[in-house]
Amino acid sequence: MASPIFNIISCIGILIAIGGNTLTAISLGEQNKGKANHYFNNAFYTLLMIAVVIFIMVVFFPHVLARIVGENSVLFPMVGNLLSVVLNIILDLIFICVFDMGITGAALASDFGDFTVCLVDGEFLYPSFNVW
């Protein structure tokens, strides 16, 4: 369930961010800081309002989003994505800050987080898989 919704949210964010960035850069190139500030603020507050609306929908109405993308179970996919994000953040801190691995540590953290979620999802989707 999370992938289509994540893609839609990402596309909306990228659309507004690139448009705002382009207009801001053009205005700065013209030495018009007032106009650049206006474009930047418009993009920022538009993204903020959209983020609040999406947050409310995801937290309070996940069943509606699930129906939109054709998913029956709401909780399990969300828990899987949350687990992946939390593992990625923790492993990023460990690999980058503690082991000083830089971008390689960030890549490994992402891989380990996704692989762990893959194992958990495999156990759920295919009970005969028997990971544990």
Side-chain angles (χ1 to χ4, degrees):
M1 175 186 108
S3 279
I5 293 173
F6 178 75
N7 289 340
I8 291 168
I9 293 169
S10 294
C11 288
I12 291 170
I14 290 169
L15 174 78
I16 295 170
I18 289 176
N21 184 33
T22 303
L23 293 173
T24 301
I26 291 170
S27 298
L28 286 174
E30 297 171 345
Q31 303 299 319
N32 190 344
K33 290 186 180 181
K35 197 175 180 182
N37 207 10
H38 173 74
Y39 287 135
F40 177 80
N41 286 334
N42 278 347
F44 177 78
Y45 287 115
T46 301
L47 285 171
L48 184 65
M49 287 187 294
I50 290 171
V52 168
V53 169
I54 290 171
F55 174 79
I56 290 170
M57 287 179 63
V58 167
V59 171
F60 297 110
F61 306 106
H63 55 281
V64 174
L65 294 175
R67 267 195 223 119
I68 290 171
V69 295
E71 182 69 41
N72 294 329
S73 172
V74 176
L75 184 61
F76 187 75
M78 292 175 72
V79 169
N81 280 349
L82 182 63
L83 177 64
S84 175
V85 168
V86 170
L87 279 172
N88 191 9
I89 291 170
I90 293 169
L91 292 174
D92 273 339
L93 289 172
I94 293 170
F95 289 154
I96 295 171
C97 297
V98 176
F99 296 131
D100 196 29
M101 294 176 70
I103 196 73
T104 304
L108 287 173
S110 295
D111 289 342
F112 285 144
D114 290 342
F115 182 70
T116 304
V117 171
C118 180
L119 290 177
V120 171
D121 286 350
E123 180 73 26
F124 177 77
L125 296 173
Y126 305 103
S128 62
F129 189 58
N130 200 3
V131 174
W132 318 111

